Amino acid sequence: MVGAALAAPFDIEVPEQTYRGEPFLVSVSSPLPMENVAVAWLGKEVPAIVRREGDAYKAVVLLGTDVKRKYKPMEPIAIRISLDGQKSSISREIRVSEKTYPVQRLSVDPNMVQPPKKYWPRIEEESRIVGKALATITAERFWNLPMIRPTPGRISSIYGLRRVFNGQPRTPHRGLDIAAPQGELVLAVDEGLVVLTGDHYYAGQSVYLDHGQGVISAYLHLSKTTVKPGQVVSRGETIGQVGSTGRVTGPHLHFGLYVLGQAVDPEPLLSGVN
């Protein structure tokens, strides 16, 4: 509940329900300046940047859940606020409901389903490196909604598909596949910092951008990357080209969006994806 010491009114917007795999926003606003706002969700805390919007001060964070993971029916969320020199903490619960996704069956190189043992150390190390990048939480906020589309083309595979490779069930699809010709430009969906590039066994040539507040975008299966770690890129800047590297059936871009390490459905957050 709201601490009794708060000296000014404020509004908190938290969804009562979300579905597994979906992103959502949490916002706090007040007519008085808020010095600090932070939101804790699924064991991680993210700082919220307070911005002046008209006559109010507002802080917004992007959160979500992952189709790959299991959740309690009601997950707690906590919001800390410093307002007019006084601190308060608010606790709520969000219902996480199940969602049924369709099955997709694909035929790929058998080595991409059961990799030879000589590749296991590489795959394990790449998983560690990518996991570290996806765990990045910076205090700055560079993202704004909607984000731009990373490349033209139709969506060939939606988020959440229950994938079966060569008859064997595998991890659900945790992003969007956009069908595009080899060499088509790939753009940064928003301003960000390049936290990782690489040529990985499953993902092929890849770029990962940090957009602040735990929001990371991923661009996989590229034929070419044009940025380097530590580089700041602007919204719409070219970061690579569409390719068919890694585990693929043809040229396309796999675009993923991670929030506090949760791979969420990017489609609701992008402009012009239909």
Side-chain angles (χ1 to χ4, degrees), residues 67 99-103 157-163 172-175 265:
V67 68
K99 183 175 181 178
T100 301
Y101 294 96
V103 175
S157 293
I158 61 173
Y159 174 93
L161 291 174
R162 293 175 290 160
R163 285 193 149 174
H173 192 225
R174 300 165 74 211
D265 184 356

Side-chain angles (χ1 to χ4, degrees), residues 58-210:
K58 189 172 185 179
V60 180
V61 296
L62 179 63
L63 301 174
T65 56
D66 193 321
V67 68
K68 181 182 177 181
R69 304 183 184 182
K70 297 294 185 180
Y71 302 92
K72 293 179 290 187
M74 300 295 293
E75 288 285 356
I77 185 169
I79 303 169
R80 293 191 295 105
I81 306 171
S82 294
L83 184 62
D84 197 24
Q86 301 178 9
K87 297 180 180 180
S88 186
S89 180
I90 299 94
S91 297
R92 300 276 180 85
E93 286 188 325
I94 300 176
R95 181 180 300 279
V96 181
S97 299
E98 290 298 312
K99 183 175 181 178
T100 301
Y101 294 96
V103 175
Q104 184 182 46
R105 302 181 187 277
L106 298 168
S107 296
V108 297
D109 182 342
N111 286 339
M112 288 296 176
V113 181
Q114 296 288 351
K117 287 187 177 181
K118 66 178 181 179
Y119 293 116
W120 291 3
R122 172 189 172 184
I123 293 170
E124 184 176 354
E125 177 63 9
E126 289 171 353
S127 178
R128 185 193 66 80
I129 292 172
V130 171
K132 182 179 178 180
L134 297 180
T136 303
I137 302 176
T138 52
E140 296 84 358
R141 174 186 163 186
F142 306 117
W143 60 270
N144 288 283
L145 299 180
M147 298 175 176
I148 67 168
R149 187 187 182 98
T151 197
R154 66 177 179 85
I155 295 176
S156 55
S157 293
I158 61 173
Y159 174 93
L161 291 174
R162 293 175 290 160
R163 285 193 149 174
V164 179
F165 288 104
N166 298 359
Q168 300 184 40
R170 287 295 185 266
T171 301
H173 192 225
R174 300 165 74 211
L176 290 179
D177 283 353
I178 302 177
Q182 185 90 4
E184 181 71 60
L185 297 182
V186 175
L187 312 178
V189 295
D190 216 329
E191 180 182 356
L193 175 72
V194 181
V195 290
L196 179 66
T197 63
D199 189 357
H200 299 153
Y201 186 83
Y202 288 121
Q205 294 198 52
S206 312
V207 173
Y208 295 81
L209 302 181
D210 172 20

Side-chain angles (χ1 to χ4, degrees), residues 199-271:
D199 189 357
H200 299 153
Y201 186 83
Y202 288 121
Q205 294 198 52
S206 312
V207 173
Y208 295 81
L209 302 181
D210 172 20
H211 303 287
Q213 294 185 321
V215 179
I216 310 290
S217 60
Y219 311 77
L220 313 184
H221 308 309
L222 305 175
S223 61
K224 179 180 181 181
T225 61
T226 57
V227 292
K228 297 180 179 180
Q231 181 177 339
V232 176
V233 298
S234 57
R235 182 182 177 99
E237 183 174 340
T238 298
I239 60 173
Q241 296 178 7
V242 170
S244 54
T245 56
R247 183 166 66 184
V248 298
T249 57
H252 72 280
L253 172 69
H254 172 99
F255 175 71
L257 194 69
Y258 296 79
V259 182
L260 301 183
Q262 310 287 311
V264 304
D265 184 356
E267 190 168 0
L269 306 176
L270 298 178
S271 61

